[in-house]
């Protein structure tokens, strides 16, 4: 399967790569090993020794280098072989592995999977995750057994919360909500506006609305290839956005294989929210439950049903709520085609 390659993908949360340990993950169907150099900066190499192809992650970290544990070749963080313990010690020209440019910021490690220049200016904007006075952040991870575009559709078309997350993130009056789609600098913003609805449980719990009706919004932004940022909240019917009552939902997908996806999510609560520790952990627990116990089984089953068939060849029914997902799919196709030129 073709992926967009000249783009930054989220490799993992910073906390996944601990000093002195190797962390392996398959991204865009390539096995990759991550580690931290002695100065703390992360490094990434193709997780395959060029000698007999065993994973380097089964080897040993030697300061800034990895020594393959099978026959002892040692590679530095650029993938160059720096020690061959055999014969006269000459390093064969082919003894090198691919290394990947990384960028670490705001608790995330981004990886450049393409051959084009890894331009930091192209990092997706997640200023929402910046450590700021009074903001609180929590994050999590799930492995989804479905293609990242299927998962992307789930995020861009939030009409499903009325059904799949009913009474929890959704409520029945959200049916047929106004939905608009904007395109800005290559990003898509899908906005839903749901006035005068019964308050979904998660908002009632976190923002103590006493079960009173609310106006609710969800603004989901898609940044290619597979990065999402949700601005969502509630306020009193006919009211205005307040200091509390909303949060940012960060949803970042990275293809693992054609049919599996790394799903990174985070929530950023503004200073006005003022949750105590128990409420904050209940909020995180409920969100994770929605993704893990409600979204994931549907996504996994959807992929199983599609199998190896081509999505468009299956002639999916198109509804008004599909405007965003279809536009996203078309843009991904276009970007892949442009890269192939
Ligand atoms: S397989 Fe790595 S040195 Fe032989
Ligand atoms: Fe969902």
């Amino acid at each position: 399967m073709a992926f967009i390659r000249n783009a930054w993908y989220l490799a993992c949360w910073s906390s996944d790569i601990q000093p002195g340990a190797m962390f392996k993950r398959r991204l865009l169907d390539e096995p990759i090993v991550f580690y931290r150099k002695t100065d703390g900066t992360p490094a990434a190499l193709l997780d395959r020794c060029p000698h007999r192809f065993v994973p380097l992650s089964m080897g040993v970290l030697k300061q800034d280098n990895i020594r393959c544990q099978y026959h002892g070749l040692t590679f530095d963080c650029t993938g160059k072989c720096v020690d061959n313990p055999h014969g006269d010690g000459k390093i064969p020209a082919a003894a090198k592995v691919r290394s990947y440019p990384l960028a670490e910021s705001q608790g995330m490690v981004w990886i450049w999977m393409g051959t084009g220049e890894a331009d930091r200016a192209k990092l997706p904007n997640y200023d929402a995750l910046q450590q700021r006075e009074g903001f609180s952040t929590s994050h999590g991870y799930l492995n989804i057994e479905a293609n990242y575009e299927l998962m992307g559709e789930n995020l861009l078309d939030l009409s499903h919360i009325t059904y799949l997350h009913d009474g929890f993130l959704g409520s029945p009056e959200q049916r047929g909500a106004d939905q608009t789609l904007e395109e800005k600098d290559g990003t898509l913003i899908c906005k839903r506006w749901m006035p005068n609805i019964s308050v979904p449980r998660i908002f009632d719990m976190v923002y103590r609305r006493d079960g009173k009706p609310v106006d609710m919004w969800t603004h989901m932004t898609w940044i290619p290839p597979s990065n999402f940022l949700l601005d969502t909240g509630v306020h009193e019917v006919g009211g205005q956005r307040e200091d509390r009552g909303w949060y940012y939902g960060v949803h970042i997908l990275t293809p693992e294989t054609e049919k599996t996806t790394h799903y990174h999510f985070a929530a950023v609560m503004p200073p006005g929210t003022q949750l105590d520790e128990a409420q904050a952990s209940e909020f995180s627990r409920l969100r994770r439950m929605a993704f893990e116990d409600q979204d994931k089984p549907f996504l996994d089953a959807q992929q199983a049903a599609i199998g190896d068939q081509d999505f468009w060849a299956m002639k999916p029914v198109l509804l008004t709520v599909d405007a965003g997902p279809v536009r996203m799919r078309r843009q991904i196709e276009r970007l892949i085609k442009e890269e192939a030129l």
Side-chain angles (χ1 to χ4, degrees), residues 151 154-155 158 160-161 164-165 169 263 290-291 294-295:
M151 187 63 209
N154 167 287
L155 293 165
L158 289 178
H160 79 273
I161 66 175
L164 193 49
H165 308 301
L169 295 170
Y263 178 23
F291 306 150
Q294 297 181 328
D295 287 308

Side-chain angles (χ1 to χ4, degrees), residues 55-72:
L56 289 173
S57 56
M58 293 175 82
V60 185
L61 254 190
K62 296 272 179 194
Q63 268 98 34
D64 290 358
N65 303 332
I66 297 181
R67 189 183 72 200
C68 178
Q69 192 66 346
Y70 201 3
H71 313 96

Side-chain angles (χ1 to χ4, degrees), residues 1-5 9 28 144-156 222-228 252-263 299 303 328-329 331-333 335-336:
M1 176 181 184
F3 297 107
I4 296 171
R5 302 204 68 93
Y9 283 93
L28 277 57
I144 304 290
E145 287 172 56
N147 173 274
Y148 76 103
E149 286 180 274
L150 293 175
M151 187 63 209
E153 291 190 317
N154 167 287
L155 293 165
L156 205 49
W222 170 67
I223 310 164
S226 45
N227 309 301
F228 297 82
I252 306 179
L253 309 176
T254 309
E256 180 183 40
T257 65
E258 186 186 343
K259 291 181 187 152
T260 55
T261 298
H262 300 291
Y263 178 23
L299 266 297
Q303 181 65 69
M328 177 191 74
R329 282 182 177 275
Q331 290 215 22
I332 290 173
E333 279 166 23
L335 289 165
I336 289 173

Side-chain angles (χ1 to χ4, degrees), residues 49 51-54 68 70-73:
C49 178
H51 177 227
R52 284 297 180 273
F53 316 119
V54 302
C68 178
Y70 201 3
H71 313 96
L73 291 180

Side-chain angles (χ1 to χ4, degrees), residues 44-264:
L45 298 177
L46 184 71
D47 193 10
R48 190 164 60 212
C49 178
H51 177 227
R52 284 297 180 273
F53 316 119
V54 302
L56 289 173
S57 56
M58 293 175 82
V60 185
L61 254 190
K62 296 272 179 194
Q63 268 98 34
D64 290 358
N65 303 332
I66 297 181
R67 189 183 72 200
C68 178
Q69 192 66 346
Y70 201 3
H71 313 96
L73 291 180
T74 298
F75 300 89
D76 72 9
C77 64
T78 68
K80 194 171 108 194
C81 180
V82 290
D83 186 39
N84 170 13
H86 306 286
D88 62 3
K90 251 183 90 187
I91 312 268
K96 53 180 182 258
V97 287
R98 181 173 178 195
S99 70
Y100 299 82
L102 299 178
E104 187 166 30
S105 75
Q106 293 150 4
M108 300 178 282
V109 178
W110 295 89
I111 187 166
W112 184 267
M113 300 293 293
T115 48
E117 191 204 346
D119 184 355
R120 281 188 76 107
K122 290 189 181 148
L123 275 170
N125 182 347
Y126 277 104
D127 286 350
L129 275 175
Q130 224 165 40
Q131 291 297 329
R132 281 178 291 176
E133 184 71 24
F135 280 76
S136 60
T137 305
S138 57
H139 67 251
Y141 167 86
L142 279 174
N143 190 273
I144 304 290
E145 287 172 56
N147 173 274
Y148 76 103
E149 286 180 274
L150 293 175
M151 187 63 209
E153 291 190 317
N154 167 287
L155 293 165
L156 205 49
D157 167 20
L158 289 178
S159 67
H160 79 273
I161 66 175
T162 315
Y163 303 93
L164 193 49
H165 308 301
D166 182 30
F168 184 49
L169 295 170
S171 59
E173 301 88 343
Q174 293 169 339
R175 265 180 75 137
D178 268 358
Q179 184 159 307
T180 59
L181 184 66
E182 295 168 18
E183 194 164 346
K184 208 168 112 195
D185 307 328
T187 70
L188 294 175
I189 308 163
C190 193
K191 296 183 174 175
R192 284 173 71 78
W193 171 240
M194 294 150 279
N196 197 13
I197 63 167
S198 48
V199 59
R201 192 172 123 219
I202 199 161
F203 288 105
D204 203 18
M205 192 275 299
V206 176
Y207 303 118
R208 296 175 289 281
R209 311 296 313 193
D210 302 323
K212 292 199 192 98
V214 289
D215 293 343
M216 175 175 173
W217 72 92
T218 58
H219 296 175
M220 182 64 90
T221 300
W222 170 67
I223 310 164
S226 45
N227 309 301
F228 297 82
L229 180 65
L230 174 66
D231 169 359
T232 185
V234 295
H235 54 58
E236 70 176 304
V237 175
Q240 299 280 329
R241 187 179 181 123
E242 301 159 24
D243 289 345
R244 61 199 289 277
W246 58 273
Y247 65 90
Y248 291 131
V250 171
H251 302 264
I252 306 179
L253 309 176
T254 309
E256 180 183 40
T257 65
E258 186 186 343
K259 291 181 187 152
T260 55
T261 298
H262 300 291
Y263 178 23
H264 311 85

